[in-house]
């Protein structure tokens, strides 16, 4: 029973961590599953790169390494819903474990074309909100979409972290300045600002602050550092473009 319980809690925590859930949410979900399984008190240690779980007053400890992380809030919601159903008695532990294994195998992402179109629309909307003109809207939509497609390609083909953000921002900077200089756009600053916004790590920054406020200082600092590195790569790329073309 305890082995199956630890496997279930570990799998639920793994899915949530890989989907970029907050640390306190991961620990709370695993603890509730353990309590609903016979009033077990779960002892857990959660970091960005690993999960350690065990039952209080027991020598059994399980560990799971977290190697891949992405933003997938839909999976976080599904794990939360499954845990609530289990706590309410709507399913047993075997059913919960089976559904978690099925969820772990799922690849729940929006289609690539929809992600690119959404990034383009966000780029244009942000450009207008920051004071740009509607004259720059078509070129901003185009650069934003192409820039985000470069980012997605970088995530797929390069294993070096933050390189995808750097290459995408590099293209956005060059394209924004060149289009403004040849007359396809008016404000190169507004075009660049709008196009890089889909790359800004807003979710990571938010989760880092929430982890810090919840007392998870290690994960909060590590998430914040990761977000800072991403933002730095974006800034370095744009600064390089302005230095090269300035």
């Amino acid at each position: 029973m305890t082995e199956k319980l630890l496997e279930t809690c570990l799998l639920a925590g793994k899915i949530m961590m890989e989907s970029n859930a907050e640390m306190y949410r991961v620990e709370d979900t695993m603890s509730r599953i353990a309590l609903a399984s016979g009033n077990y008190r779960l002892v857990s240690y959660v970091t960005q790169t690993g999960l350690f779980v065990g039952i209080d007053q027991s020598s059994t400890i399980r560990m799971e390494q977290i190697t891949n992380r992405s933003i997938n809030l839909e999976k976080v919601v599904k794990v939360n819903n499954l845990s609530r159903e289990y706590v309410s008695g709507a399913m047993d532990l075997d059913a919960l474990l089976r559904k978690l294994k099925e969820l772990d195998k799922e690849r729940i992402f929006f289609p690539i074309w929809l992600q690119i179109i959404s990034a383009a629309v966000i780029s244009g909307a942000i450009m207008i909100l920051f004071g740009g003109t509607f004259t720059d809207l078509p070129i901003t939509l185009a650069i934003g979409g192409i820039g985000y497609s470069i980012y997605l390609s970088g995530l797929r083909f390069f294993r070096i972290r933050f390189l995808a953000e750097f290459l995408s921002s590099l293209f956005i900077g060059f394209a924004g300045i060149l289009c403004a200089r040849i007359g396809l756009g008016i404000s190169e600053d507004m075009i660049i600002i709008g196009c890089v916004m889909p790359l800004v790590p807003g979710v990571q920054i938010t989760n880092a602050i929430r982890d810090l406020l919840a007392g998870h200082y290690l994960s909060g600092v590590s998430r914040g550092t990761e977000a800072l590195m991403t933002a730095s790569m974006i800034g370095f790329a744009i600064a390089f473009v302005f230095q090269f073309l300035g």
Side-chain angles (χ1 to χ4, degrees):
M1 174 64 181
T2 57
E3 286 291 336
K4 184 178 296 184
L5 173 59
L6 288 177
E7 181 183 0
T8 304
C9 293
L10 200 61
L11 183 56
K14 171 179 173 290
I15 295 172
M16 297 182 75
M17 283 301 304
E18 289 180 342
S19 303
N20 208 27
E22 305 93 323
M23 299 295 177
Y24 72 87
R25 188 186 300 275
V26 175
E27 291 185 346
D28 181 68
T29 299
M30 294 191 298
S31 297
R32 290 178 183 274
I33 293 174
L35 287 174
S37 301
N39 205 28
Y40 289 102
R41 182 177 179 271
L42 190 74
V43 179
S44 62
Y45 182 70
V46 184
T47 68
Q48 282 282 87
T49 56
L51 290 169
F52 300 84
V53 296
I55 302 297
D56 191 25
Q57 299 181 350
S58 171
S59 60
T60 304
I61 298 177
R62 297 283 298 273
M63 185 198 76
E64 182 73 35
Q65 186 178 12
I66 306 299
T67 56
N68 299 314
R69 294 189 302 274
S70 61
I71 300 175
N72 196 328
L73 301 183
E74 186 173 354
K75 275 196 172 185
V76 175
V77 172
K78 286 192 173 185
V79 173
N80 280 334
N81 290 337
L82 288 174
S83 68
R84 291 190 183 100
E85 290 181 21
Y86 175 70
V87 171
S88 66
M91 68 174 72
D92 58 14
L93 189 61
D94 291 326
L96 176 61
L97 181 58
R98 184 178 67 254
K99 288 182 179 295
L100 286 173
K101 288 181 178 179
E102 293 173 357
L103 179 60
D104 188 37
K105 295 178 181 179
E106 290 183 12
R107 294 295 177 260
I108 307 174
F109 288 102
F110 290 106
I112 298 297
W113 63 268
L114 184 57
Q115 295 183 47
I116 294 174
I117 292 176
S118 300
V121 173
I122 291 173
S123 300
I126 294 295
M127 185 271 297
I128 297 297
L129 289 175
F130 273 72
T133 63
F134 283 95
T135 305
D136 290 334
L137 186 58
I139 194 63
T140 304
L141 295 174
I143 295 175
I146 297 174
Y148 199 76
S149 65
I150 293 174
Y151 166 71
L152 294 177
S153 299
L155 291 178
R156 181 177 180 181
F157 293 108
F158 299 112
R159 293 187 176 272
I160 302 176
R161 291 187 60 81
F162 313 114
L163 183 59
E165 290 89 346
F166 181 82
L167 294 177
S168 178
S169 301
L170 201 64
F171 165 79
I172 289 171
F174 274 113
I177 292 176
L178 290 177
C179 287
R181 292 186 179 180
I182 64 176
L184 294 178
I186 297 176
S187 175
E188 60 189 33
D189 294 339
M190 293 298 103
I191 294 174
I192 293 174
I193 290 173
C195 292
V196 299
M197 286 306 293
L199 306 176
V200 174
V203 175
Q204 292 93 325
I205 294 173
T206 302
N207 285 346
I209 295 174
R210 296 183 70 174
D211 283 338
L212 288 172
L213 293 177
H216 293 271
Y217 301 114
L218 179 61
S219 60
V221 171
S222 63
R223 285 181 190 268
T225 302
E226 185 176 2
L228 180 62
M229 287 294 295
T230 302
S232 298
M233 289 299 102
I234 297 173
F236 289 156
I238 300 301
F240 175 81
V241 171
F242 274 101
Q243 181 68 26
F244 184 79
L245 296 180

